[in-house]
Amino acid sequence: MELEGNNGMANKDRKVAGSGGGAARNGSGADGRRRRRRWTRDGGGGGGRQHPIIQAYPALLPLPIHAAAHTRANGSCGLPLPPPVLVYLQPPPLLFPKAAAMAACYGKPNGGAPPQRGGTWRSKKPPPPPHAVTAALLPLPHGSEMLQNKRCFTDETIPCVMKPNNASTHQNSSVSIQGATIALRPDVGGVNGTMIPLYANHFLVRFDPNQKIFHYNVDISPRPSKETARLIKNKLVEENSSALLGALLAFDGRKNLFSPIGFQQGKLEFFVSLPVASPRFVAAGRNDQQKHKIFRVNLRLVSELSGDDLVKYFNEEKGGIPLPQDYLHALDIILQEGSMESSIPVGRSLYSRSMGDARKIGGGAVGLSGFFQRLRPTKQGLALNVDLSITAFHESTGIIAYLQKRCEFLKGLSQMKSRALTEDERREVEKALKNIRVFVCHRQTDQRYDVRGLTEETTENLKFRDRSGKEYMVVDYFKEHYNHDIQFRNLPCLQIGRSKPCYVPMELCMVCEGQKFLGKLSDEQTSKMLNMGCHGPSERKGIIKGVVEGAFTAKGCSYVDQFNLHVSKDMTQLSGRVLLPPKLKLGDRGRIKDITPDRFDRQWSLLDSHVAEGSNIKSWALISFGGTTEQHSFIPKFISQLSSRCEQLGILLNKRTVVSPLFERIELLNNRDILERNLKKLQEAASGNLQLLICVMERKHRGYADLKRIAETSVGVVTVLPVLQLKQTDFSVPGQFSTEDKCKAWMRSQTHRKEIIEHLDVMTSELLEEFLKEVGKLPSRIIFFRDGVCETLFGKVLKEELQAMRATCSNYPGYKPSITFIVVQKRHHTRLFHREKNGGSTHYSDQNVPPGTVVDTVITHPREFDFYLCSHWGTKGTSRPTHYHVLWDENKFQSDEMQQLIYNLCYTFARCTKPVSLVPPVYYAHLAAYRGRLYLERSDSVVTSRTTLYRAAPLQTAPLPKLRDSVKRLMFYC
């Protein structure tokens, strides 16, 4: 986990994009696929309504040189543009011989890094790049000339969009689009930058290609839970050691079991007895004696796996052999088996109290530490990626105590035992408890039950019939059979039966330990989780090494030994490179000056400069929601200071608002109709040309979503919503305004868990039309950054989405642009640490790697075009580099060119004066998708819990409201 420094970027990364490196994750988990933060659940417990996925697709649209100076048709002026950036592309690298062939058991040997240019990274101020080629990312200052080279976004040799694009004849690794074969690395890796020795949390794994792994299908009847299935497997192995020939079996808890030896005839049948209590205790009478349940276990041989195909995969140079996923999956299960019995599995992570006690984070949740592990094919061979992981679990406590912590309206429930629930509160409680596993405390039993819902009747009024047909009141039954007086009689009972009614009073139930938290974490909970995972590089590296040493000793090593595996206890050593920062262009008293960020964190300042080309904001207004009379008295001074600061930045902000500042109660945000009417009056007062609306809020409010939606889709004005704590003359406002004509976003909603982008052809057409309108011709080259794709879906996503883009381009006669398709991944677990050349410690060991650190050797894919880039400076925790994987490249990028281009783009993010961790088009897409989600929020629905937000109706593929024309051409989402 790491934060990106000041300017509020860390919070925005966490809330909007889910990036910035934290191992603390909720909802969809930290493994990939899982959606970056993709909006998969509403708050509360399981069974909540699912949000549609909001996909946003920004385009980098170059403008005519003087476009920023043009006024709109209605006479209004554009908002200020950020400083233009000249990015430097280094000349193509010199190629050098390929590495030696790989050893059979290790894959390719670690031959170290390729020859590097320059000395080891030390200097804080790098020299200027020699012989650099410049490519301009617009907007540009007046009178500048666009420099042309093969990396520009337009081609000046194409005067008409109807003329065929000669550049489109590039082929991609000699395969067709229909084949959708992933691009191969164009060279042996980049060479630009200064060398930096590193560790990576990858551990080399040796496997015996001749060792057979026998894959058995497991059929257990009656069907048990995953937890019970593992108990059955353990007892089966314990009681049938001779029949199993002493083999240790690896089991995934579902249907797959792996053995190092084969059994006769390929079929085995066992009967396993486990103590299980009857779940129908309410109607079964008093019977505390445990019963034994017999499970029939059938094992059937499915396949015999070996490492031969994996050896061939590593030896293949051209990528014709597919990765043997079945064999890798078997190895993953085997390597996890030793730690499984004492841990709680969640996805690919294992959580255990041996890594630290659970910490309460409020709201009925606790944070627990664990570790992630996954096998990855790399240039050095097969490697095990191990990392620290943090996630939230339901707190194991009584249901009454749990609800007091989970639901704000039940805080004093223990002192109000006669309290009943309103219908809205009952729905909220049911949502919080549904699918949570509980056990009863009024009698001894090992049985666990899943909460299916709540009864309509209160406990006091609830009746049932026992097996003899006798009718009981629930409260009388528990008094007669268990001598227990029900205290909370006006609360509903828990319904735990799947088909037949089974009722249990809430006060007699406890939340089982080890259940992943199903609700959406609040801001406070998320902050505590991030603090739990906030380990500096040195500390994190020590924890990871301790995990590996502990996981593959004793019993864990027994499984590894039986399958002839060996896991190295040492982290991978490699050499990375630190890329040079680009030159930036800033204003200096009417002139343009170049600066090169030379601080260690690559941050620059606007205190002594201004934007290269500012805008004139003539028409704007201010509304204050809430606040005291004393705070209101500071607003005039606030406006004056804001205007002066904008002038210093080269932005002309009118010192007078279109109307006097308005002061409204914050409760107005709850009434959408009145709010919309008031905002439209402001627009009318500005004659329909209101450019900016600053809404000062005394605190965060759930009406934020309605305010944004109304302003941008109904009124047509960009809003800035600072939350101010006004004291004397202490004012705080965002330092960046929305910018115009830089990155434009088109949004669509689509169904939940839909990996392929729907209607991509339509959105591509809209973006191309917008580009044509602004520039006067279509782009000859398209770079498509794609987020939220797991590695197993690379081929499917590439084939379908590339075909959709090609189909759109074919609608323009003779138009065949060169397309580069890049997947961007932040939800991975690779970390980089400083290392001395001799492998010892360094005084940088507790610092994060510097901005611009790139790795494209040793731990990357054996053949495909991918690399890790840490473009930002992590001020807290351990930085997470971004993984870029080029799936298709008709633009023929070399490694150095691609890496430098993306790194330079990270300096162009409009919100701060430093490089960010994620390439800005993807960052902007996250922000736009978050805004689309806000458009679908309904804040007038009942909100009764601090962790949930109800919607008025289930959302499937609800269309997003249309943006007003005055807004959609701006970076309204930023």
Side-chain angles (χ1 to χ4, degrees), residues 120-124 196-197 199 537-538 541 833-850 873:
T120 303
W121 177 81
R122 282 291 185 271
S123 173
K124 294 183 179 180
I196 178 172
Y199 284 112
S538 180
K541 183 172 69 173
F833 307 94
H834 282 284
R835 172 183 66 87
E836 280 292 344
K837 284 186 177 181
N838 58 9
S841 61
T842 169
H843 62 283
Y844 296 109
S845 60
D846 205 32
Q847 291 184 9
N848 279 305
V849 295
W873 173 254

Side-chain angles (χ1 to χ4, degrees), residues 326-348:
D326 290 344
Y327 182 70
L328 279 186
H329 176 67
L331 294 184
D332 266 324
I333 299 299
I334 294 165
L335 293 174
Q336 280 190 339
E337 186 66 28
S339 304
M340 193 70 76
E341 295 179 9
S342 59
S343 303
I344 304 168
V346 177
R348 293 183 180 270

Side-chain angles (χ1 to χ4, degrees), residues 625-647:
F625 292 100
T628 64
T629 303
E630 181 183 5
Q631 290 173 331
H632 293 168
S633 66
F634 294 128
I635 291 296
K637 189 172 183 179
F638 165 74
I639 294 175
S640 176
Q641 291 182 348
L642 176 62
S643 178
S644 297
R645 180 59 185 140
C646 286
E647 186 176 355

Side-chain angles (χ1 to χ4, degrees), residues 89-119:
L89 302 179
Q90 302 292 344
L94 296 176
L95 302 183
F96 39 82
K98 297 181 179 178
M102 88 170 189
C105 295
Y106 278 100
K108 295 184 179 179
N110 182 359
Q116 304 293 333
R117 242 180 236 176

Side-chain angles (χ1 to χ4, degrees), residues 173-475:
S173 301
S174 70
V175 296
S176 64
I177 293 178
Q178 287 73 18
T181 301
I182 295 175
L184 302 181
R185 195 179 302 276
D187 46 37
V188 292
V191 296
N192 288 346
T194 54
M195 185 270 291
I196 178 172
L198 300 169
Y199 284 112
N201 57 336
H202 289 217
F203 299 83
L204 196 62
V205 176
R206 182 176 70 230
F207 63 94
D208 182 359
N210 298 318
Q211 170 66 52
K212 297 289 186 181
I213 298 177
F214 296 85
H215 178 198
Y216 287 87
N217 178 75
V218 182
D219 182 27
I220 304 177
S221 180
R223 185 178 178 181
S225 66
K226 190 174 180 180
E227 182 182 78
T228 304
R230 189 160 291 282
L231 295 176
I232 293 171
K233 174 261 178 182
N234 291 340
K235 192 169 185 182
L236 184 152
V237 173
E238 180 183 342
E239 294 179 347
N240 300 277
S241 178
S242 58
L244 298 174
L245 306 178
L248 295 177
L249 308 180
F251 182 45
D252 69 351
R254 296 183 180 90
K255 302 286 289 184
N256 301 295
L257 184 141
F258 302 96
S259 169
I261 58 176
F263 306 119
Q264 291 183 354
Q265 300 177 352
K267 286 186 177 181
L268 289 174
E269 185 176 69
F270 302 92
F271 292 90
V272 178
S273 176
L274 285 182
V276 179
S278 171
R280 292 190 54 79
F281 57 86
V282 172
R286 184 165 184 168
N287 182 11
D288 290 339
Q289 294 183 353
Q290 287 186 334
K291 299 180 180 180
H292 281 74
K293 193 170 185 177
I294 305 298
F295 294 90
R296 184 176 67 180
V297 183
N298 285 314
L299 304 182
R300 178 177 57 85
L301 182 65
V302 176
S303 62
E304 295 182 15
L305 306 173
S306 74
D308 291 337
D309 288 340
L310 186 57
V311 171
K312 294 177 183 177
Y313 175 82
F314 281 119
N315 282 328
E316 176 63 30
E317 292 292 336
K318 297 183 179 180
I321 297 177
L323 180 67
Q325 295 286 356
D326 290 344
Y327 182 70
L328 279 186
H329 176 67
L331 294 184
D332 266 324
I333 299 299
I334 294 165
L335 293 174
Q336 280 190 339
E337 186 66 28
S339 304
M340 193 70 76
E341 295 179 9
S342 59
S343 303
I344 304 168
V346 177
R348 293 183 180 270
S349 297
L350 298 174
Y351 297 89
S352 172
R353 289 189 181 276
S354 63
M355 294 192 65
D357 293 334
R359 298 185 188 179
K360 294 182 180 181
I361 61 174
V366 296
L368 196 61
S369 298
F371 65 93
F372 165 94
Q373 68 176 52
R374 182 186 181 187
L375 285 170
R376 297 187 64 86
T378 66
K379 280 189 174 183
Q380 66 174 333
L382 194 60
L384 186 66
N385 179 204
V386 181
D387 190 28
L388 178 66
S389 183
I390 308 289
T391 200
F393 290 83
H394 292 287
E395 183 179 353
S396 181
T397 184
I399 288 291
I400 298 297
Y402 177 82
L403 288 176
Q404 288 182 271
K405 299 175 181 179
R406 181 75 184 270
C407 302
E408 197 74 34
F409 58 88
L410 292 179
K411 230 175 183 180
L413 182 60
S414 58
Q415 286 76 39
M416 297 181 292
K417 296 183 179 180
S418 61
R419 190 192 192 289
L421 300 178
T422 66
E423 185 59 30
D424 289 332
E425 290 173 342
R426 183 193 167 280
R427 286 200 301 266
E428 185 74 13
V429 170
E430 184 174 44
K431 189 175 182 180
L433 295 180
K434 196 169 184 179
N435 294 327
I436 288 182
R437 182 163 291 187
V438 299
F439 65 91
V440 296
C441 56
H442 64 282
R443 64 189 182 93
Q444 292 183 351
T445 177
D446 292 329
Q447 185 68 21
R448 301 294 183 260
Y449 312 95
D450 291 330
V451 177
R452 305 295 174 183
L454 302 181
T455 60
E456 295 291 339
E457 297 287 340
T458 62
T459 305
E460 187 174 36
N461 299 326
L462 195 59
K463 301 177 182 179
F464 73 97
R465 292 183 183 274
D466 67 3
R467 292 177 178 175
S468 65
K470 182 179 179 180
E471 187 173 82
Y472 278 98
M473 300 294 293
V474 169
V475 291

